[in-house]
Amino acid sequence: MPAVAETTCYNLSKFRATMKSFRVLDDNIMLRLNETNTHAEAACASFFNELVAAYQKRDASIKFCLEIMDKNIASKKEKLYQDPDDYTLKDSIMTDESKRQIIANESVVEDIVRGRSLKAFQERCALFDLPENIQEFLDNRK
């Protein structure tokens, strides 16, 4: 089950607020790292798993909304093909495409947030070796 509702995908204010709530861990990373025993590999591993879970949740939300938007835009374009003079439908498609682009731009925000979080994590949990496939995981979402 996706972390966001389909209606959230079309309400950009709600989508952004939801994504912001999903980024609380990253926004408070320094505080959390200060509270974590960064000299214990198990504590760092546990915190890292929380970060990865948060990344996956946000990725799934973005991908879910993009898929929903793509299906809706495709459906509207099929209808427009049948009635090329439906200007209301044309406006609706343009609006949806703009919303889709805004949601797609959340991936750029994700890259920035992840980079900052992972840098802070690696600096403070230097004894913890990141999994070899972490870069593959990070690159896989693109």
Side-chain angles (χ1 to χ4, degrees):
M1 184 171 160
V4 295
E6 187 173 329
T7 55
T8 303
C9 300
Y10 289 95
N11 182 336
L12 293 178
S13 297
K14 189 172 182 180
F15 179 80
R16 286 182 174 144
T18 301
M19 293 303 289
K20 184 177 180 178
S21 73
F22 291 166
R23 291 187 179 115
V24 170
L25 180 62
D26 296 87
D27 292 342
N28 297 319
I29 191 164
M30 293 311 291
L31 177 64
R32 287 288 307 274
L33 285 169
N34 287 339
E35 295 172 350
T36 301
N37 180 1
T38 56
H39 300 293
E41 190 169 346
C44 287
S46 175
F47 187 73
F48 180 76
N49 289 334
E50 286 183 58
L51 281 175
V52 170
Y55 296 162
Q56 290 172 332
K57 184 176 184 179
R58 295 191 305 255
D59 273 350
S61 298
I62 292 169
K63 287 177 183 176
F64 172 76
C65 284
L66 290 175
E67 288 172 10
I68 293 296
M69 303 281 298
D70 287 344
K71 287 177 186 174
N72 189 31
I73 291 168
S75 172
K76 287 181 179 181
K77 284 184 176 181
E78 284 180 26
K79 290 178 186 174
L80 185 62
Y81 181 75
Q82 295 168 1
D83 183 8
D85 295 327
D86 188 343
Y87 293 102
T88 303
L89 190 55
K90 285 181 183 180
D91 288 344
S92 177
I93 291 170
M94 287 180 18
T95 299
D96 286 352
E97 286 175 338
S98 295
K99 287 180 181 181
R100 189 207 180 280
Q101 185 59 43
I102 290 169
I103 291 172
N105 287 342
E106 281 296 317
S107 293
V108 175
V109 174
E110 271 303 294
D111 289 339
I112 294 167
V113 170
R114 283 184 187 191
R116 184 181 65 104
S117 295
L118 282 175
K119 181 180 179 195
F121 177 82
Q122 287 176 308
E123 287 173 357
R124 297 295 299 276
C125 282
L127 298 176
F128 178 76
D129 292 325
L130 292 177
E132 290 180 20
N133 64 347
I134 187 65
Q135 194 59 46
E136 179 183 324
F137 166 75
L138 295 173
D139 290 341
N140 189 29
R141 56 186 282 283
K142 294 180 181 179

